[in-house]
Amino acid sequence: MLEIGTKAPDFTLPDQNGTIHTLKDYAGGKLLLYFYPKDNTSGCTKQAMAYSALKESFEAKGITVVGVSRDSVASHKKFEEARGLTITLLSDTERTVIEAYDVWKEKKMCGKVSMGVVRTTYLIDEDGTIIFSNDKVKAAEDAERMLK
């Protein structure tokens, strides 16, 4: 996980509509960048739906919410449509940004060890500096906690 006070790594990724986003696109406002393992799984769905439900509350505080996973643009589009999501989802199929933000880690599940995305949330300020980071995210509670 990247440390608070670190300059956020730049990125160039497509969203669920194929539109390209970069870190510079969010300069001048705060960016809540959350990394999640997989579209349409239980925890990831709860997290994305909670962020969508609170999108206007985040925007009222000058914060844009963006999710990132390894899923494809097409997968993100299906996820958005199936769940009625209103937030931007970025596709990082090559893991470039996932690795730059240090969220590709060894995970243990049911005694099996594998590599994967560790659910992590970063808050980036107007100048591109990380001002909050959390890698102990509880999917269903993350949006409400970050709003506070």
Side-chain angles (χ1 to χ4, degrees):
M1 182 170 68
L2 300 178
E3 298 292 321
I4 293 171
T6 303
K7 277 292 189 190
D10 197 11
F11 58 80
T12 302
L13 293 174
D15 68 12
Q16 66 266 40
N17 299 308
T19 303
I20 300 298
H21 294 253
T22 68
L23 180 61
K24 293 175 188 130
D25 294 338
Y26 300 95
K30 288 186 174 74
L31 173 64
L32 189 148
L33 196 60
Y34 81 94
F35 293 86
Y36 66 98
K38 187 146 182 64
D39 291 344
N40 284 307
T41 56
S42 176
C44 297
T45 297
K46 288 176 188 170
Q47 188 177 23
M49 290 180 72
Y51 273 120
S52 287
L54 294 172
K55 181 181 178 186
E56 290 180 7
S57 297
F58 279 101
E59 288 175 347
K61 293 184 175 205
I63 301 169
T64 302
V65 176
V66 176
V68 181
S69 79
R70 291 185 61 207
D71 295 296
S72 68
V73 168
S75 175
H76 281 342
K77 190 65 178 173
K78 287 179 189 169
F79 187 35
E80 173 196 46
E81 290 174 348
R83 305 299 179 173
L85 303 177
T86 59
I87 58 172
T88 298
L89 301 173
L90 301 181
S91 174
D92 186 15
T93 57
E94 302 296 317
R95 294 195 328 250
T96 307
V97 177
I98 287 167
E99 290 185 20
Y101 278 81
D102 197 28
V103 299
W104 184 253
K105 304 274 187 182
E106 185 176 277
K107 298 166 72 170
K108 295 176 185 165
M109 189 177 218
C110 302
K112 189 176 177 184
V113 177
S114 63
M115 295 297 288
V117 173
V118 174
R119 195 179 305 277
T120 306
T121 304
Y122 290 103
L123 183 60
I124 301 167
D125 73 8
E126 298 82 355
D127 298 318
T129 301
I130 296 170
I131 57 173
F132 178 84
S133 58
N134 179 25
D135 65 351
K136 305 282 189 252
V137 174
K138 293 183 180 175
E141 301 169 11
D142 190 40
E144 190 69 45
R145 178 173 182 230
M146 290 304 298
L147 188 58
K148 290 178 183 173

